[in-house]
Amino acid sequence: MNINVATDMPRPWLDHYPEGVMRDLPESYTLTLDAILRNAASTYPERPCIEALGKVMNFKQTIDAAERVAAWLQAQGLQRGDRVAVMCPNLLACPVSVFGVLLAGFTVVNVNPLYTARELKHQITDSGAKVLMVLENFAHVVEAAGVEDMGLEKVVVIAPGDLMGLKGHIVNFVSRKMKKAAPPHGLTGTVRFTEVVGYTGSYERPETDPDDIAFLQYTGGTTGVSKGATLLHRNVAANVTQCDANMGPFLRGLDTDHVMVLALPIYHIFGLTCTFVFMNMGAKLLLIPNPRDIDGFVKTLSKTKVTMFSGVNTLYNALANHKDIGNVDFSSVVFSVAGGMAAQAEVARKWKALSGTPIIEGYGLSETSPVATMNPLSLPEFSGNIGYPLQQTDIVILDDDGNYLPMGEAGELAIKGPQVMAGYWNRPEETAKCMTDDGFFKTGDVAMMLEDGAFKIVDRKKDMILVSGFNVFPNEVEEIIVQHPAVLEAAVVGTPSEKAGEEVTAFVVLNEGQSLDREGLREFCKAHLTGYKVPSILHVRDELPKTNVGKILRRELRDEAEKLVS
């Protein structure tokens, strides 16, 4: 049995890595993201690299454009380590902008384009970003937040058709005139992205250090004040290498040119790291600008043969239940990965029947760059667990006092590895709260180690429901509810109860044409759950509140449920 010397805890997962997957990382591997980008461009120069709205750029074109962005940024007088914010969905200009910031030697601040002016102002002022690159559709939000109030020196405005040539003019016309997607704004002194990416001044390649900050990845906005996870080049580069070590032997053994569906936005940590991981493998990234437009998403998939999917549970569920999904040719698909939230067995069953591939679940957070564990790609069926820790990653399970728990007992999952962040930006007290004395990051997730060293998430600590002293984990109840034939989606929260302290409340979205028999659904749950876990309150909704990447906002539902019973 492999043992972690520092914790005296077993590492049984090392004995269960698939054949061909290395147990450790190479002593020398690339530790900066600019080097990873340049290596990909030199290895696969003519291969297609990114595609959005039908326009493709190869690796050389992509990095050449990014270097022009880098040169323009350097000409603005920014200093090493200065922050540049990018507020753009998955259009061609998004990865080119992100890469440009890194190639210039600066730090990327990824910004959710759906932010309100208040949320945007907090993130820009907290990060100290000096330049903001924003899609024109959201320029009015920048105006409302106040350019001077945020301390911005430059605002670069991106058009959706930028980098698309003549077709881009059509895309811009449709966006501005037909869809009315770009509300008017009064920003002055802005720079068009076309000017930035067309810059002809000299570019100086910086000497990037692995300990330079690559990203400020803001997280925690749904549970409190959003904090910037400080991700160094070495953190994200290590995670790219770890993912390659686990997936490379499987994917490179297939005689195909890979096309990865990137529906998750690049400003989200899952989509961000997928971008680097699969570019590093020479795959083309099929960028989906608006994954909420499932009709448009399915049309795109029906025109393109893809080999790999990445997404969250709600996205797979929406695709699997779409009326036109039968028009999509899944014959080339070899790999489907899920993260960001727990994948449900029923959704995995539907996806396997549709695509022929099981959902391979992994686990991670913004604070871990993000991937900490992963199931083997050779897995024949959905496992229901989050897989094995990646190379050089240790995971322990802690009780409420910080003591290590043995295999099979549930407690807080804590992670230590080269992909773990350097801390929260300018928040040493918050960093101290989430780190143990021996360097483990406390995730806030309840998990247990299985006999083979794989880990299973039980639930988020903050989402746990306490019914008469008994713990109820929402994921478990949701898994049962969505198996009912009338139910499309479900979310479970705890609400105050005079009798039991808390009671289980469920919000459900029904399949088209279905009605809810509340007692029938409760009886269905009783057949699978202990009595105190069965929802005592059921609400029907047309849709569930979700983040921009499809993660269900339980906190919002909890607030709504408490108002309904008050």
Side-chain angles (χ1 to χ4, degrees):
M1 173 75 72
N2 287 282
I3 298 292
N4 178 337
V5 176
T7 64
D8 198 32
M9 296 294 287
R11 289 170 166 165
W13 55 82
L14 293 176
D15 296 323
H16 293 275
Y17 279 7
E19 185 177 352
V21 172
M22 62 181 69
R23 269 56 179 166
D24 205 345
L25 294 180
E27 289 186 11
S28 176
Y29 61 89
T30 305
L31 286 173
T32 65
L33 295 174
D34 56 330
I36 287 175
L37 291 171
R38 291 194 184 93
N39 181 65
S42 63
T43 305
Y44 316 107
E46 302 304 321
R47 278 197 195 181
C49 178
I50 51 178
E51 177 182 346
L53 302 177
K55 175 66 176 179
V56 180
M57 295 175 66
N58 65 29
F59 276 79
K60 184 179 186 305
Q61 291 167 334
T62 301
I63 301 306
D64 283 351
E67 287 191 345
R68 294 194 296 274
V69 172
W72 182 87
L73 287 169
Q74 290 176 341
Q76 306 315 302
L78 299 180
Q79 302 300 309
R80 179 172 178 168
D82 278 348
R83 276 76 64 203
V84 177
V86 179
M87 185 177 181
C88 185
N90 285 5
L91 296 162
L92 294 178
C94 179
V96 168
S97 297
V98 170
F99 300 161
V101 177
L102 295 172
L103 291 172
F106 306 134
T107 297
V108 178
V109 181
N110 281 311
V111 181
N112 182 346
L114 300 182
Y115 269 171
T116 64
R118 180 191 62 81
E119 292 167 323
L120 173 63
K121 186 174 183 179
H122 164 71
Q123 186 163 329
I124 297 299
T125 54
D126 187 78
S127 67
K130 294 185 176 181
V131 176
L132 170 64
M133 309 178 79
V134 59
L135 183 68
E136 64 183 20
N137 301 28
F138 311 104
H140 65 290
V141 180
V142 179
E143 180 186 15
V147 172
E148 292 185 0
D149 291 343
M150 292 187 287
L152 289 169
E153 297 176 3
K154 296 280 185 179
V155 175
V156 176
V157 178
I158 298 166
D162 285 346
L163 293 170
M164 296 186 68
L166 290 176
K167 184 177 182 179
H169 295 291
I170 300 173
V171 170
N172 290 339
F173 177 81
V174 171
S175 174
R176 294 165 182 167
K177 304 299 183 183
M178 298 178 68
K179 294 186 176 181
K180 308 291 185 184
H185 64 83
L187 291 176
T188 59
T190 60
V191 180
R192 301 300 306 189
F193 182 75
T194 49
E195 178 183 334
V196 173
V197 78
Y199 185 71
T200 57
S202 61
Y203 163 63
E204 295 185 10
R205 183 179 294 187
E207 292 295 328
T208 309
D209 189 272
D211 288 323
D212 287 345
I213 300 173
F215 297 99
L216 291 184
Q217 195 70 25
Y218 277 75
T219 182
T222 59
T223 57
V225 176
S226 186
K227 306 179 290 291
T230 304
L231 302 180
L232 310 179
H233 275 264
R234 71 163 66 251
N235 297 144
V236 184
N239 207 222
V240 171
T241 306
Q242 290 168 320
C243 291
D244 186 271
N246 283 272
M247 296 187 290
F250 177 82
L251 295 175
R252 288 193 175 92
L254 303 172
D255 185 20
T256 184
D257 292 330
H258 285 295
V259 178
M260 162 57 79
V261 177
L262 198 64
L264 291 163
I266 292 174
Y267 58 81
H268 184 272
I269 188 63
F270 189 7
L272 179 70
T273 301
C274 278
T275 298
F276 287 95
V277 168
F278 294 105
M279 278 186 65
N280 188 50
M281 293 184 184
K284 180 177 78 172
L285 301 175
L286 178 61
L287 306 178
I288 306 299
N290 182 13
R292 289 186 168 189
D293 176 12
I294 299 298
D295 290 344
F297 193 173
V298 172
K299 285 180 182 178
T300 298
L301 293 177
S302 66
K303 299 174 184 176
T304 309
K305 274 204 165 189
V306 302
T307 64
M308 302 183 289
F309 273 86
S310 63
V312 294
N313 183 77
T314 48
L315 180 64
Y316 284 116
N317 193 34
L319 289 173
N321 286 284
H322 193 273
K323 58 183 175 58
D324 295 327
I325 197 65
N327 296 332
V328 178
D329 181 359
F330 286 95
S331 61
S332 299
V333 177
V334 297
F335 167 51
S336 301
V337 63
M341 63 183 294
Q344 295 172 334
E346 180 65 11
V347 173
R349 182 192 65 77
K350 291 178 182 177
W351 186 256
K352 173 71 180 294
L354 179 70
S355 70
T357 60
I359 289 179
I360 304 295
E361 200 168 10
Y363 171 83
L365 310 94
S366 295
E367 293 90 342
T368 59
S369 302
V371 189
T373 70
M374 184 187 301
N375 275 284
L377 267 62
S378 56
L379 200 71
E381 298 291 342
F382 175 70
S383 70
N385 62 55
I386 58 172
Y388 305 116
L390 302 187
Q391 291 83 356
Q392 293 186 4
T393 303
D394 279 319
I395 293 183
V396 294
I397 303 298
L398 305 175
D399 65 16
D400 290 341
D401 296 320
N403 300 311
Y404 299 130
L405 290 172
M407 186 180 295
E409 291 196 23
E412 184 172 9
L413 184 148
I415 303 168
K416 188 176 185 178
Q419 71 273 51
V420 175
M421 66 172 183
Y424 291 117
W425 176 253
N426 288 338
R427 295 180 185 271
E429 70 289 348
E430 293 291 333
T431 303
K433 286 179 185 177
C434 71
M435 300 298 297
T436 67
D437 292 341
D438 49 354
F440 282 83
F441 169 71
K442 297 185 291 184
T443 66
D445 283 323
V446 179
M448 65 174 65
M449 187 198 296
L450 307 178
E451 286 188 9
D452 64 348
F455 285 81
K456 183 175 180 62
I457 295 292
V458 181
D459 222 320
R460 285 288 297 172
K461 288 179 72 175
K462 68 176 184 297
D463 288 334
M464 189 167 60
I465 305 166
L466 197 63
V467 180
S468 299
F470 292 95
N471 293 336
V472 178
F473 297 112
N475 280 359
E476 180 185 10
V477 183
E478 290 165 0
E479 281 270 5
I480 299 303
I481 294 175
V482 296
Q483 293 178 33
H484 191 281
V487 176
L488 176 64
E489 290 184 313
V492 168
V493 298
T495 49
S497 166
E498 290 185 2
K499 290 178 59 178
E502 284 187 301
E503 57 190 338
V504 179
T505 298
F507 290 81
V508 298
V509 177
L510 301 178
N511 283 307
E512 188 174 352
Q514 296 289 328
S515 59
L516 181 64
D517 175 0
R518 283 175 166 78
E519 279 308 310
L521 181 54
R522 287 194 185 95
E523 289 300 318
F524 181 83
C525 290
K526 286 179 182 177
H528 302 280
L529 297 167
T530 305
Y532 63 83
K533 297 181 181 180
V534 175
S536 50
I537 301 174
L538 291 165
H539 298 291
V540 179
R541 289 186 52 142
D542 291 333
E543 59 182 6
L544 299 176
K546 298 168 185 169
T547 67
N548 54 297
V549 297
K551 196 170 185 177
I552 293 171
L553 293 168
R554 284 193 182 127
R555 181 182 180 183
E556 188 172 317
L557 291 174
R558 190 181 299 113
D559 292 342
E560 179 182 330
E562 290 178 2
K563 290 177 182 177
L564 291 172
V565 299
S566 61

